Amino acid sequence: MTKVAIAGASGYSGEELVRLLLRHPEAEIVAVTSRQYAGKTLAEVFPKFAHYRAAQTIPFILPDAAELARLAEYVFLALPHGVAAELAVPLLKAGRRVLDLSADFRLRSAAVYEEFYGKTHPAPELLAQAVYGQPETYRERLKGAGLVACAGCYPTSILVPTLPLLRAGLIRPEGIIADSLSGVTGAGRKADLGYIYCECNESARPYGLPKHRHLSEIEQELSIAAGTQVTMQFTPHLIPLNRGILTTLYLTPSEEIRDAESAERFSRKLADMYQKVYGQEVFVRIDGDKILPDIKNIVMSNVVEFGWKVDCRTGRLIVVSAIDNLMRGASGQAIQCFNLMAGYPETTGLL
Amino acid sequence: MTKVAIAGASGYSGEELVRLLLRHPEAEIVAVTSRQYAGKTLAEVFPKFAHYRAAQTIPFILPDAAELARLAEYVFLALPHGVAAELAVPLLKAGRRVLDLSADFRLRSAAVYEEFYGKTHPAPELLAQAVYGQPETYRERLKGAGLVACAGCYPTSILVPTLPLLRAGLIRPEGIIADSLSGVTGAGRKADLGYIYCECNESARPYGLPKHRHLSEIEQELSIAAGTQVTMQFTPHLIPLNRGILTTLYLTPSEEIRDAESAERFSRKLADMYQKVYGQEVFVRIDGDKILPDIKNIVMSNVVEFGWKVDCRTGRLIVVSAIDNLMRGASGQAIQCFNLMAGYPETTGLL
Amino acid sequence: MTKVAIAGASGYSGEELVRLLLRHPEAEIVAVTSRQYAGKTLAEVFPKFAHYRAAQTIPFILPDAAELARLAEYVFLALPHGVAAELAVPLLKAGRRVLDLSADFRLRSAAVYEEFYGKTHPAPELLAQAVYGQPETYRERLKGAGLVACAGCYPTSILVPTLPLLRAGLIRPEGIIADSLSGVTGAGRKADLGYIYCECNESARPYGLPKHRHLSEIEQELSIAAGTQVTMQFTPHLIPLNRGILTTLYLTPSEEIRDAESAERFSRKLADMYQKVYGQEVFVRIDGDKILPDIKNIVMSNVVEFGWKVDCRTGRLIVVSAIDNLMRGASGQAIQCFNLMAGYPETTGLL
Amino acid sequence: MTKVAIAGASGYSGEELVRLLLRHPEAEIVAVTSRQYAGKTLAEVFPKFAHYRAAQTIPFILPDAAELARLAEYVFLALPHGVAAELAVPLLKAGRRVLDLSADFRLRSAAVYEEFYGKTHPAPELLAQAVYGQPETYRERLKGAGLVACAGCYPTSILVPTLPLLRAGLIRPEGIIADSLSGVTGAGRKADLGYIYCECNESARPYGLPKHRHLSEIEQELSIAAGTQVTMQFTPHLIPLNRGILTTLYLTPSEEIRDAESAERFSRKLADMYQKVYGQEVFVRIDGDKILPDIKNIVMSNVVEFGWKVDCRTGRLIVVSAIDNLMRGASGQAIQCFNLMAGYPETTGLL
């Protein structure tokens, strides 16, 4: 059993880490942190977990790096950006391995961080060693990583289907549009008038236009795959459900789609390429061009699902992907990274 | 056109008053109050009303009684209890007619107010003159009222079907149980962690057990109808929808229900009685014993709908009622009272 | 009072016509049709309308054109395409004015109808005289129209903000993308496994890709405005709410957006143009570039609301619009057309 | 690995059995049945399970008893009542152990079955040997059972908190009322107009009053516990969520509750009794009298959670319980029974 701790366990992704790690056969939660709940047990704070024997004894402690380092081998940080880095630095110094679910270490450039997050990066010296926590893309590097910057929710829904298209040169790097729908857990557990029930229910709205923070990490990874600077359009919307992200991508094929036949041929090329790249991936579901994803088919699962249509009228490629924002978009993917780091089968605790 | 003002227009029942009064052909909103929005127009604060020409000019002002008295003939108070009385006193002194949607003047006894609301009544001298704002019950007194204490939402769903049963002696006053379900607007527009979207969606929970504040006014009115002190059980639940209350009442018939035949006979008696009492009421829908209400049939309407079953197995009478908590449970019923006070046809602006 | 009839009153848009016409001060519903309910009154079939005195007597009759022509001056057709035309032909011959909510008369070309609807057009000789029922665009022609082809729901959300942009040459006609979200009433009232509660709730999915039928009327109207053939991308999604459409439009400005300054300048141009075109329209709300629409602000209203962002990073113009699919997307807009035809103020019964 | 089959895997409880058994470490699904899908694999029919390697090969077969008996040691029947018995008889003859999720074997009396289900019992000779599948109540008998009649969803939410009260004589057997709220999966996966999204969303309604079929098994088990015939009131309601049941029970304490002190004393008695009965149960959560359940705390879990209030005003005991209708109310509890039958730790595959 590997000893793990979760810093920031009272938000939605922290709670999801607790849920998943309680049933993980190789991990033992030794502590969770919360300024508000320090001194209580996990079962006292979250009655929903009280039937797990371990929850009766797992203590909430203050977010103290020395204490976390003393107790745990691996520390998951489910904290706001900025705050996460403050814990990451001493934990890494103490030789602990850190999985950060915030945005603090996702960007390779401290300048881009400052541009998008509006503050000086708190630990720029660590950026070079951080590995981006998207297992299908960085599997080998994750195995040896000391600091993992777990990929964001929207980015995961966009990058998994798009990166291989760029790498294979099947689409052009210009003009990419990602139109995303997200459930309300994506906004976090916070008492804000805009997120009370009746302000979200029976409604839908865009937000964060036109320069949402996640653009920074999406463009960084797309640029690496394309071998050229990618600037893209990203439009997130809030829709009335708890969990799930659906992303519709508008892409330009590298070859001209003139008619049904060339569309069909291009689609087969995609199917072959995706099969080669993801055919063996347990947590990637390729729908092909007949079916498109539906959030209900991936809720509570770690799967990224995507399908596509090649439109012979417009010449465009439309790819639609779906993930559970708390599983694949946050805590599930973090545990997938943890499994790689700790040498467990990648699906451990996630099926 | 009668000049009206709304004190406290930023909550859900205040907003609903605005919605209904903007389309009321005989009322002119001359001012709305809000400490937060003073200085802006209604259209600026609520873009959703901006297509009403009047909304372009209706000003938000501070909740000042003198100014309200200067501007309006009628003032609706959509304020928290305690705060409402503070405005009501000077408005009444200035000769204005007041429709209070809070609980401040619903109880005839200041002692009961103190028991249930935990504070000394702010203006006990006004209790005697306040008329309880339930039009089907107090229609005649409402016409001349200076101070109307608009009935609460749960109370309306319970009293409309139950009062005539008690008055007619068809049920016993002991052992009454009201089990109610309410949409989340019932909790008000407030930023509280317990009411954010993901804490209410895909969930349901009881609250306020066993002594919810509304018990005080329900028992008061039931006792008047029964001619004896009634103590009853009331269990509200929060369910995931915006608007609507569904109440299931468990009642004991005064006569013994031994078999299908006596059940059938008792049910016909009820039908006759209800027909006599409510047959001419536009805003009361009597379903009888074949159909039971469904919230979707009364949402956005001022109707109280109810049906019943006489259970020959248990000897009980089950009555189920439904209302829209913002319309019939608050602002619609207040306007129904206003129509009576101002001498307009009772349905004006409510169909 | 103008005598009106509704053919097909048991679906969602038929029911919405009933709701709106019952409160319309100048219209009298003389009959509604339904094969299933013929012989009953409106109140018997829809208890939710039973508190309207008229509903007690309005009869459901069989969809017989002669009888409808005998009873009514105006007939609303809320029927499936194909079926609508069968009634429209004899009604027009009998001199009645027809408002068709189906797609039967929206297209000017019978060939395009056949391409998108998969059948020969049932009455191609009527296409030339039909007026497209989008009041802000065809107001003058609607006044004298005998046959109105009410605009579709998605098309309305797309055309109202886009047509003036094309007419003014502010955007290029190529590369238009409309990404739309719709509530489930949009799918109609039909018992289909894909639309039962648990298959839609807590989920979201695209459908009809890449060649949804509404493309035909959208492209027709965009092409007229652009003065050139427009081919565009349209991606509808189903989201878990009852009413409402939110459309996100990706558009290419005609002038180059190089930086924040040119973006700002272009945005001001848009604001001026929209103000000129829609500044006096009661049912069009221009949000500008600071606010973007939220479905909850237009539900149960006849307003089309839209706002925009000019993105200086990508050079694109993003416009977001929202409508209530049953009001502005169907029955409300139909009544707006009816008001124009019958010479009533355009907002009658719609505020 | 124990070989299991699921007959009727296309409904919600069948699908939930698949979900749970795919991750059960000791069970191997060898076949699932469906007339409609015979010939396909589980992954083809339910893409959501496609990432389980086993799902790639598990075949859908016709519901043939001989074939099921050949393939599996244990057969779960997730079929309508009546149909389930037809398979159960030959399976038992062939020596297979059967877990029936329908109502066919829950009642000890064929006459009561006929009264409540309106048909002659298909296999009355088996009733005596069937064990009621409520593990906390019949644990020892379940271990050796050949035929388990898994408890219904509403019954489980009522029986778990109520049986010990009756057994301990803490409440009187008369006058019991259970008022229940259920999510829409409870209605099954069927294309019925009453269950399409917009007919359930933003609404709530009672149904099955006053003699719902589940009364038969609830009263049977309550009567056994009370040692006398119990007749009770049961009122189910449909509320807009996917999963979950919340039941509010109105009960009469055997001793008089006169004041706050006697209420407090009675509540402590309950707490002691429940602790004795359920204190060691992993899947029973006792909230006590300070907290009451919330559906969101038991969704996707096998826990029955309940709390209570002793009302010194009315003298009543109110108990509120919550379960996930698909887990604890159907498939999770069935697997709990299976674990007992097969000798696995009772929580296997359920944490």
Side-chain angles (χ1 to χ4, degrees):
Chain A
M1 299 285 277
T2 302
K3 290 176 194 304
V4 305
I6 302 161
S10 61
Y12 287 126
S13 57
E15 183 185 329
E16 182 78 352
L17 280 168
V18 170
R19 184 178 77 81
L20 291 168
L21 288 167
L22 277 173
R23 61 181 76 178
H24 193 290
E26 305 288 352
E28 181 195 354
I29 307 178
V30 292
V32 291
T33 82
S34 157
R35 295 195 180 278
Q36 185 182 358
Y37 298 125
K40 303 198 172 181
T41 68
L42 194 53
E44 285 167 337
V45 173
F46 287 121
K48 70 167 65 169
F49 298 131
H51 58 296
Y52 288 89
R53 190 180 302 257
Q56 307 290 342
T57 53
I58 297 170
F60 267 93
I61 63 172
L62 288 171
D64 177 72
E67 183 65 3
L68 286 168
R70 194 181 66 77
L71 292 167
E73 303 162 70
Y74 288 75
V75 182
F76 291 86
L77 307 180
L79 297 163
H81 64 265
V83 182
E86 284 172 29
L87 271 185
V89 174
L91 284 168
L92 289 166
K93 276 212 183 101
R96 297 299 165 264
R97 299 177 87 177
V98 172
L99 297 108
D100 179 18
L101 279 76
S102 87
D104 275 353
F105 301 102
R106 291 177 189 161
L107 301 177
R108 303 195 170 190
S109 152
V112 175
Y113 182 90
E114 190 163 344
E115 177 191 350
F116 278 85
Y117 290 88
K119 57 171 99 176
T120 309
H121 194 282
E125 71 284 3
L126 292 176
L127 293 179
Q129 74 178 78
V131 180
Y132 190 65
Q134 208 299 301
E136 285 78 7
T137 309
Y138 292 106
R139 180 169 286 127
E140 289 314 310
R141 294 189 50 202
L142 284 166
K143 289 178 184 171
L147 171 58
V148 171
C150 298
C153 53
Y154 289 122
T156 298
S157 78
I158 293 167
L159 297 174
V160 170
T162 310
L163 292 179
L165 291 170
L166 284 170
R167 274 197 232 104
L170 286 165
I171 58 167
R172 290 167 53 185
E174 308 91 33
I176 296 175
I177 296 174
D179 187 290
S180 292
L181 315 179
S182 172
V184 189
T185 47
R189 182 182 259 144
K190 55 171 179 262
D192 183 301
L193 210 53
Y195 297 108
I196 63 173
Y197 185 80
C198 302
E199 303 300 314
C200 296
N201 188 40
E202 294 299 290
S203 200
R205 59 183 194 255
Y207 68 97
L209 265 58
K211 200 178 168 186
H212 188 281
R213 285 168 167 178
H214 279 178
L215 265 174
S216 52
E217 70 183 278
I218 304 169
E219 291 184 346
Q220 167 183 287
E221 297 301 313
L222 293 181
S223 299
I224 293 168
T228 180
Q229 178 61 35
V230 172
T231 302
M232 50 94 69
Q233 195 80 52
F234 169 52
T235 320
H237 300 77
L238 194 74
I239 60 169
L241 46 82
N242 283 354
R243 300 164 77 113
I245 284 177
L246 189 90
T247 291
T248 302
L249 290 150
Y250 298 92
L251 306 168
T252 310
S254 300
E255 56 197 75
E256 201 191 346
I257 308 299
R258 273 176 318 268
D259 49 21
E261 200 185 323
S262 56
E264 169 78 21
R265 203 164 42 232
F266 184 66
S267 182
R268 276 201 306 270
K269 249 192 227 181
L270 256 67
D272 289 347
M273 182 278 291
Y274 277 135
Q275 188 55 36
K276 230 172 276 169
V277 176
Y278 290 134
Q280 301 309 309
E281 294 289 349
V282 174
F283 292 135
V284 179
R285 186 179 305 146
I286 308 166
D287 285 334
D289 61 5
K290 297 291 178 288
I291 296 173
L292 291 176
D294 190 332
I295 282 178
K296 68 173 177 273
N297 286 331
I298 48 76
V299 160
M300 301 294 280
S301 115
N302 201 49
V303 168
V304 181
E305 176 170 353
F306 63 86
W308 64 86
K309 295 281 178 187
V310 183
D311 189 348
C312 60
R313 294 174 75 258
T314 63
R316 259 198 215 88
L317 166 66
I318 318 239
V319 177
V320 183
S321 71
I323 62 166
D324 180 314
N325 60 306
L326 292 181
M327 282 280 284
R328 187 42 113 110
S331 309
Q333 188 158 259
I335 289 169
Q336 195 181 347
C337 293
F338 162 75
N339 287 338
L340 284 166
M341 294 164 81
Y344 301 125
E346 200 167 325
T347 60
T348 309
L350 293 173
L351 282 175
Chain B
M1 297 287 276
T2 301
K3 290 177 193 303
V4 304
I6 302 161
S10 60
Y12 287 126
S13 57
E15 182 185 331
E16 183 76 354
L17 280 168
V18 170
R19 184 178 76 82
L20 291 168
L21 288 167
L22 278 173
R23 59 179 79 177
H24 193 290
E26 306 288 350
E28 181 194 353
I29 307 178
V30 292
V32 291
T33 82
S34 158
R35 294 194 182 279
Q36 186 181 357
Y37 298 125
K40 304 199 171 178
T41 67
L42 194 54
E44 285 167 337
V45 174
F46 287 121
K48 69 166 66 167
F49 298 131
H51 58 299
Y52 288 90
R53 190 180 302 256
Q56 307 291 343
T57 55
I58 297 170
F60 266 94
I61 63 173
L62 289 171
D64 177 73
E67 183 65 3
L68 286 168
R70 194 179 69 76
L71 292 168
E73 303 162 70
Y74 289 75
V75 181
F76 292 86
L77 307 179
L79 298 163
H81 65 265
V83 182
E86 283 172 29
L87 270 186
V89 174
L91 284 167
L92 289 166
K93 276 213 184 100
R96 297 298 166 266
R97 299 177 87 178
V98 172
L99 296 107
D100 178 18
L101 280 76
S102 88
D104 275 353
F105 300 102
R106 291 177 189 160
L107 302 177
R108 303 193 171 192
S109 154
V112 175
Y113 183 90
E114 189 163 345
E115 179 191 348
F116 278 84
Y117 290 89
K119 57 171 99 173
T120 309
H121 194 282
E125 69 285 0
L126 292 177
L127 292 179
Q129 72 178 79
V131 180
Y132 190 64
Q134 206 299 298
E136 285 78 9
T137 309
Y138 293 105
R139 179 169 288 127
E140 289 314 310
R141 294 189 52 202
L142 284 165
K143 290 178 182 170
L147 171 57
V148 172
C150 297
C153 53
Y154 288 122
T156 298
S157 79
I158 294 167
L159 297 173
V160 170
T162 310
L163 292 180
L165 291 170
L166 284 170
R167 277 199 228 103
L170 286 165
I171 57 165
R172 291 167 52 185
E174 308 89 36
I176 296 174
I177 296 173
D179 188 290
S180 293
L181 316 179
S182 174
V184 189
T185 47
R189 182 182 260 143
K190 55 172 181 260
D192 183 301
L193 209 52
Y195 298 107
I196 63 172
Y197 186 80
C198 302
E199 302 300 314
C200 295
N201 187 39
E202 293 300 290
S203 199
R205 59 183 194 254
Y207 68 97
L209 263 60
K211 201 179 168 186
H212 188 280
R213 285 168 167 180
H214 278 177
L215 264 175
S216 53
E217 68 182 281
I218 305 169
E219 291 184 347
Q220 167 183 286
E221 297 301 312
L222 293 181
S223 299
I224 293 168
T228 181
Q229 177 59 38
V230 172
T231 302
M232 51 93 68
Q233 196 80 51
F234 169 51
T235 321
H237 299 78
L238 195 73
I239 60 170
L241 45 83
N242 282 355
R243 300 165 77 113
I245 283 177
L246 189 91
T247 291
T248 302
L249 290 150
Y250 298 93
L251 307 168
T252 311
S254 299
E255 56 196 76
E256 202 191 343
I257 306 300
R258 274 177 316 272
D259 49 21
E261 201 185 321
S262 55
E264 169 77 20
R265 203 162 44 230
F266 183 68
S267 182
R268 277 201 305 270
K269 251 192 227 180
L270 256 66
D272 290 346
M273 182 278 292
Y274 277 134
Q275 187 56 34
K276 231 171 277 169
V277 175
Y278 291 133
Q280 301 309 309
E281 295 289 350
V282 173
F283 292 134
V284 179
R285 186 179 304 145
I286 308 167
D287 285 334
D289 61 3
K290 299 289 177 288
I291 295 172
L292 290 176
D294 190 332
I295 281 178
K296 69 174 175 272
N297 287 329
I298 48 77
V299 160
M300 300 295 280
S301 115
N302 201 48
V303 168
V304 181
E305 175 169 355
F306 62 86
W308 63 86
K309 295 283 178 186
V310 184
D311 188 347
C312 60
R313 295 174 76 256
T314 63
R316 258 199 216 88
L317 167 64
I318 318 238
V319 177
V320 182
S321 71
I323 63 166
D324 180 314
N325 60 307
L326 291 181
M327 281 281 282
R328 187 43 114 109
S331 308
Q333 188 158 257
I335 288 169
Q336 196 181 347
C337 294
F338 162 75
N339 287 337
L340 283 166
M341 294 164 82
Y344 301 125
E346 200 166 325
T347 58
T348 310
L350 293 172
L351 282 175
Chain C
M1 299 284 277
T2 301
K3 291 177 192 304
V4 304
I6 303 161
S10 60
Y12 287 126
S13 57
E15 183 185 330
E16 183 77 353
L17 281 169
V18 170
R19 184 178 78 82
L20 291 167
L21 288 168
L22 278 172
R23 60 179 77 177
H24 193 291
E26 306 288 352
E28 181 195 353
I29 308 178
V30 292
V32 291
T33 82
S34 158
R35 295 194 180 280
Q36 187 181 358
Y37 298 125
K40 303 198 174 180
T41 67
L42 194 53
E44 284 167 338
V45 173
F46 286 120
K48 70 166 63 167
F49 298 131
H51 58 297
Y52 288 90
R53 191 179 302 256
Q56 307 291 341
T57 54
I58 297 170
F60 266 94
I61 63 172
L62 289 171
D64 177 72
E67 184 64 5
L68 287 168
R70 194 180 68 76
L71 292 167
E73 303 161 71
Y74 288 75
V75 182
F76 292 87
L77 306 180
L79 297 163
H81 64 266
V83 182
E86 283 172 30
L87 270 185
V89 174
L91 284 167
L92 289 166
K93 274 211 184 103
R96 298 298 165 264
R97 299 178 86 177
V98 172
L99 297 107
D100 178 18
L101 280 77
S102 88
D104 276 352
F105 300 102
R106 292 177 188 160
L107 302 177
R108 304 194 171 190
S109 153
V112 175
Y113 182 90
E114 190 164 343
E115 178 191 348
F116 278 83
Y117 289 88
K119 56 170 98 174
T120 309
H121 195 282
E125 70 284 3
L126 293 176
L127 293 179
Q129 73 177 80
V131 180
Y132 190 64
Q134 209 298 299
E136 285 78 8
T137 310
Y138 292 106
R139 180 169 287 127
E140 290 314 309
R141 294 189 51 201
L142 284 166
K143 290 179 184 171
L147 171 58
V148 172
C150 298
C153 53
Y154 288 121
T156 298
S157 79
I158 294 167
L159 297 174
V160 170
T162 311
L163 292 180
L165 291 170
L166 284 171
R167 276 198 230 105
L170 286 165
I171 58 166
R172 290 167 53 185
E174 307 89 35
I176 297 175
I177 296 175
D179 188 290
S180 293
L181 316 179
S182 173
V184 189
T185 47
R189 182 182 259 144
K190 55 172 181 263
D192 183 302
L193 210 52
Y195 297 106
I196 63 173
Y197 185 81
C198 302
E199 303 300 313
C200 296
N201 188 40
E202 293 299 290
S203 199
R205 59 181 193 256
Y207 68 97
L209 264 60
K211 200 178 169 186
H212 188 280
R213 286 169 168 180
H214 279 178
L215 265 174
S216 52
E217 70 182 279
I218 305 169
E219 291 184 347
Q220 168 183 287
E221 297 300 312
L222 293 181
S223 299
I224 293 168
T228 180
Q229 177 60 37
V230 172
T231 301
M232 50 95 68
Q233 196 79 51
F234 169 52
T235 320
H237 300 78
L238 195 74
I239 61 169
L241 45 83
N242 283 353
R243 299 165 75 114
I245 284 177
L246 190 90
T247 292
T248 302
L249 289 151
Y250 298 92
L251 306 168
T252 311
S254 298
E255 56 196 76
E256 202 191 344
I257 307 298
R258 274 177 317 271
D259 49 22
E261 200 185 322
S262 55
E264 170 75 22
R265 203 164 42 230
F266 183 67
S267 182
R268 276 201 305 270
K269 250 192 227 181
L270 256 66
D272 290 346
M273 182 279 291
Y274 277 135
Q275 188 56 34
K276 230 171 278 170
V277 175
Y278 291 134
Q280 301 308 310
E281 294 289 349
V282 174
F283 293 135
V284 178
R285 186 179 303 144
I286 308 167
D287 285 334
D289 62 3
K290 298 290 177 288
I291 296 173
L292 290 177
D294 190 332
I295 281 179
K296 67 174 178 275
N297 286 331
I298 48 77
V299 160
M300 300 295 279
S301 115
N302 200 50
V303 169
V304 181
E305 176 169 354
F306 62 87
W308 63 87
K309 295 282 178 188
V310 184
D311 188 348
C312 60
R313 294 174 76 256
T314 63
R316 261 201 214 85
L317 166 65
I318 319 241
V319 177
V320 183
S321 72
I323 62 166
D324 180 315
N325 60 308
L326 291 181
M327 282 280 283
R328 189 41 115 108
S331 309
Q333 187 158 261
I335 288 168
Q336 195 181 347
C337 294
F338 162 75
N339 287 338
L340 284 166
M341 295 164 82
Y344 301 125
E346 199 166 326
T347 60
T348 310
L350 293 172
L351 283 174
Chain D
M1 298 286 275
T2 302
K3 290 175 193 304
V4 305
I6 302 161
S10 61
Y12 287 126
S13 57
E15 182 185 330
E16 182 77 353
L17 280 168
V18 170
R19 184 178 77 83
L20 291 167
L21 288 167
L22 278 172
R23 60 180 76 177
H24 193 291
E26 305 289 351
E28 181 195 353
I29 307 178
V30 292
V32 291
T33 82
S34 158
R35 294 195 181 280
Q36 186 182 357
Y37 299 124
K40 303 197 173 181
T41 68
L42 194 53
E44 284 166 337
V45 174
F46 286 121
K48 71 167 65 169
F49 298 131
H51 58 297
Y52 288 91
R53 189 180 303 255
Q56 307 290 344
T57 53
I58 297 170
F60 266 93
I61 63 172
L62 288 170
D64 177 72
E67 183 65 4
L68 286 168
R70 194 180 69 77
L71 292 166
E73 303 162 71
Y74 289 75
V75 182
F76 292 86
L77 306 179
L79 297 164
H81 65 266
V83 181
E86 283 171 30
L87 270 185
V89 174
L91 284 167
L92 290 165
K93 276 214 184 99
R96 296 300 165 263
R97 299 177 86 178
V98 173
L99 297 108
D100 179 17
L101 279 76
S102 87
D104 275 353
F105 300 102
R106 292 177 189 162
L107 301 177
R108 303 195 171 190
S109 153
V112 175
Y113 182 90
E114 189 163 345
E115 179 192 348
F116 278 84
Y117 290 88
K119 56 170 98 174
T120 309
H121 193 284
E125 71 284 1
L126 293 177
L127 294 178
Q129 74 179 77
V131 180
Y132 190 64
Q134 208 300 298
E136 285 78 9
T137 310
Y138 293 106
R139 179 169 287 127
E140 289 314 308
R141 294 189 50 201
L142 284 165
K143 290 179 183 170
L147 171 58
V148 171
C150 298
C153 54
Y154 289 121
T156 299
S157 78
I158 293 167
L159 297 173
V160 170
T162 310
L163 292 179
L165 291 170
L166 284 171
R167 276 198 230 103
L170 286 165
I171 57 165
R172 290 168 52 185
E174 308 90 35
I176 296 174
I177 296 173
D179 188 292
S180 293
L181 315 179
S182 173
V184 189
T185 46
R189 183 182 260 144
K190 55 171 180 262
D192 182 302
L193 210 51
Y195 298 107
I196 63 173
Y197 185 80
C198 301
E199 303 300 313
C200 295
N201 188 39
E202 293 298 291
S203 200
R205 60 183 194 254
Y207 69 96
L209 264 61
K211 202 178 166 185
H212 188 281
R213 284 168 168 178
H214 278 177
L215 265 175
S216 53
E217 69 182 280
I218 304 169
E219 291 184 347
Q220 167 183 287
E221 297 301 311
L222 293 181
S223 299
I224 293 168
T228 180
Q229 177 60 35
V230 172
T231 302
M232 51 93 69
Q233 196 80 52
F234 169 51
T235 319
H237 300 77
L238 194 75
I239 60 170
L241 45 82
N242 283 355
R243 300 165 77 114
I245 283 178
L246 189 91
T247 291
T248 302
L249 289 150
Y250 298 93
L251 306 168
T252 311
S254 299
E255 57 195 74
E256 202 191 343
I257 307 299
R258 273 177 319 271
D259 48 21
E261 200 185 321
S262 55
E264 169 77 21
R265 204 163 43 230
F266 183 68
S267 182
R268 278 201 304 270
K269 250 191 226 181
L270 256 67
D272 290 347
M273 181 279 291
Y274 277 134
Q275 189 55 36
K276 231 171 276 168
V277 176
Y278 291 133
Q280 301 308 310
E281 294 290 348
V282 174
F283 293 134
V284 179
R285 185 179 304 146
I286 309 167
D287 285 333
D289 61 4
K290 298 291 177 287
I291 296 173
L292 291 176
D294 191 332
I295 281 178
K296 69 174 176 273
N297 286 330
I298 48 75
V299 160
M300 301 295 280
S301 114
N302 200 49
V303 168
V304 181
E305 175 168 356
F306 63 86
W308 64 86
K309 295 282 176 185
V310 184
D311 188 349
C312 59
R313 294 173 77 255
T314 63
R316 259 199 216 86
L317 167 65
I318 318 240
V319 177
V320 182
S321 71
I323 62 166
D324 180 314
N325 60 306
L326 292 182
M327 282 279 283
R328 189 40 114 111
S331 309
Q333 188 159 257
I335 288 167
Q336 196 181 347
C337 294
F338 162 76
N339 288 338
L340 284 167
M341 295 164 82
Y344 301 125
E346 200 166 326
T347 59
T348 310
L350 294 172
L351 282 175

